[in-house]
C-alpha cells in the first residue's frame, strides 16, 4: 500500500518562506517514471497545480508561481520538498502532495495517490 | 499558461440521472486530460486519465471522452456516493485544474 504524508508549519508570517515535506512509502522515487507533485486548495476554492518532480529530476512548475517555487527530492529518503518564498495571506490553503505510480498514469502525468493534505495559514 | 474551463460550475441531479460535465482547454492538449472527484474535507481521487482511461477500481458508470480542446465526463447513472465536486486537469504543459463542478442532490 502506498501512503503519502505532508508535513510542515501550520502558520507562517507574510514574506516568510514556506517549506513543506512530502514523505511516502510503498513506492520509490528511484523507479523509472515515478513523479511527485504538489497541489494546493484555498478554503472553498478550486485546486491549484503547483509543481512536479520526476524520478530523473525533471521538474515542472506552475508558470504563475514559478519564480517563488522550488521542488527537490531525496530519493534515498523517499521525500520531496517544496519551498515557496514570499508567502502572503492569499497563499493560505491546504497543500497536498500526490504521486503518479501506475506506469500508464505516470506517463500522462496524472496523480493516482494523494496525501491527506496539510493546512497552512499565512498571517501575522 | 493553459486555462481549463469547466461547465457547469454546479448542477442539481437525482439518483439515476445521467450527468455530463464539460471541460475546455485554451489550447490543444492532446490526451493529457484527467478527471478527479473530491468530497468535502477529503483529498481528490483520480477517476479517469488520458481522456478516457478508467483508473482501476473506478465504477464503469464513469466515462470520459473528447480530444484536442473539448472533453466530457459522463456519469451514466448517478449514485448517492457520486455527489461531490469534479475537476478536470491538463498535464500537457506543467499542470492546470479546472474550477470544478459541484454535483448536488436535487
Amino acid at each position: 500500500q502506498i501512503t503519502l504524508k505532508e508535513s510542515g508549519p501550520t502558520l507562517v508570517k507574510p514574506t516568510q518562506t514556506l517549506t513543506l515535506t512530502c514523505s511516502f512509502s510503498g513506492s520509490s522515487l528511484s523507479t523509472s517514471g515515478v513523479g511527485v507533485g504538489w497541489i494546493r486548495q484555498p478554503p472553498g476554492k478550486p485546486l491549484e497545480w503547483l509543481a512536479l518532480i520526476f524520478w530523473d529530476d525533471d521538474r515542472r512548475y506552475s508558470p504563475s508561481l514559478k519564480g517563488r517555487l522550488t521542488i527537490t527530492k531525496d530519493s534515498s529518503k523517499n521525500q520531496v520538498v517544496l519551498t515557496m518564498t514570499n508567502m502572503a495571506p492569499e497563499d493560505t490553503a491546504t497543500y497536498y502532495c500526490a504521486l503518479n505510480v501506475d506506469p500508464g498514469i505516470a506517463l500522462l502525468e496524472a496523480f493516482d495517490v494523494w496525501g491527506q493534505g496539510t493546512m497552512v495559514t499565512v498571517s501575522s | 499558461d493553459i486555462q481549463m474551463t469547466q461547465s457547469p460550475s454546479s448542477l442539481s441531479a437525482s439518483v439515476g440521472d445521467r450527468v455530463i460535465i464539460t471541460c475546455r482547454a485554451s489550447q490543444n492538449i492532446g490526451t493529457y486530460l484527467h478527471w478527479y472527484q473530491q468530497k468535502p474535507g477529503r483529498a481528490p481521487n483520480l477517476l479517469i486519465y488520458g481522456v478516457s482511461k478508467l483508473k482501476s477500481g473506478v465504477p464503469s458508470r464513469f466515462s470520459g471522452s473528447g480530444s484536442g480542446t473539448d472533453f466530457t465526463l459522463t456519469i451514466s447513472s448517478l449514485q448517492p456516493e457520486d455527489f461531490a465536486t469534479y475537476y478536470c486537469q491538463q498535464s500537457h504543459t506543467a499542470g492546470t485544474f479546472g474550477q470544478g463542478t459541484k454535483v448536488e442532490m436535487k
Side-chain angles (χ1 to χ4, degrees):
Chain A
Q1 184 182 0
I2 299 170
T3 61
L4 297 89
K5 187 172 177 61
E6 307 88 350
S7 59
T10 57
L11 179 67
V12 298
K13 290 181 167 48
T15 75
Q16 287 187 334
T17 294
L18 172 68
T19 299
L20 293 172
T21 300
C22 176
S23 303
F24 59 96
S25 61
S27 184
S28 171
L29 257 177
S30 300
T31 302
S32 176
V34 171
V36 175
W38 286 94
I39 302 96
R40 72 179 178 180
Q41 186 171 37
K45 293 191 175 181
L47 301 167
E48 182 179 14
W49 192 99
L50 299 178
L52 172 60
I53 190 166
F54 292 94
W55 66 284
D56 60 355
D57 215 34
D58 186 18
R59 307 173 197 199
R60 314 233 194 287
Y61 291 103
S62 164
S64 61
L65 293 168
K66 186 172 183 178
R68 298 176 54 204
L69 297 175
T70 304
I71 190 168
T72 59
K73 65 178 177 65
D74 185 332
S75 300
S76 65
K77 294 182 179 178
N78 271 354
Q79 289 184 334
V80 171
V81 174
L82 180 75
T83 60
M84 180 180 292
T85 61
N86 195 24
M87 294 290 285
E90 53 266 31
D91 296 314
T92 294
T94 296
Y95 287 76
Y96 295 99
C97 67
L99 183 69
N100 51 49
V101 177
D102 175 274
I105 293 171
L107 189 65
L108 292 167
E109 301 178 18
F111 297 116
D112 53 344
V113 184
W114 291 65
Q116 64 188 17
T118 186
M119 179 67 192
V120 177
T121 301
V122 184
S123 174
S124 55
Chain B
D1 298 23
I2 297 178
Q3 309 301 317
M4 305 299 292
T5 304
Q6 281 183 241
S7 61
S9 56
S10 66
L11 63 92
S12 297
S14 301
V15 172
D17 284 353
R18 182 181 181 89
V19 170
I20 298 175
I21 298 168
T22 65
C23 180
R24 173 166 287 178
S26 59
Q27 64 187 70
N28 190 328
I29 58 171
T31 59
Y32 290 86
L33 188 284
H34 323 298
W35 291 96
Y36 299 83
Q37 177 193 68
Q38 187 180 33
K39 295 183 178 178
R42 305 285 299 274
N45 180 40
L46 179 67
L47 299 174
I48 289 171
Y49 64 100
V51 178
S52 60
K53 298 176 175 57
L54 207 61
K55 179 187 170 185
S56 176
V58 173
S60 59
R61 62 181 179 272
F62 291 95
S63 63
S65 63
S67 63
T69 60
D70 294 303
F71 305 91
T72 60
L73 171 70
T74 301
I75 309 173
S76 60
S77 178
L78 196 68
Q79 297 302 299
E81 60 269 30
D82 300 338
F83 292 101
T85 300
Y86 294 84
Y87 293 93
C88 61
Q89 182 226 333
Q90 69 83 16
S91 58
H92 179 276
T93 304
T96 317
F97 287 91
Q99 80 274 23
T101 296
K102 187 174 184 179
V103 177
E104 299 174 299
M105 192 176 300
K106 185 181 286 184

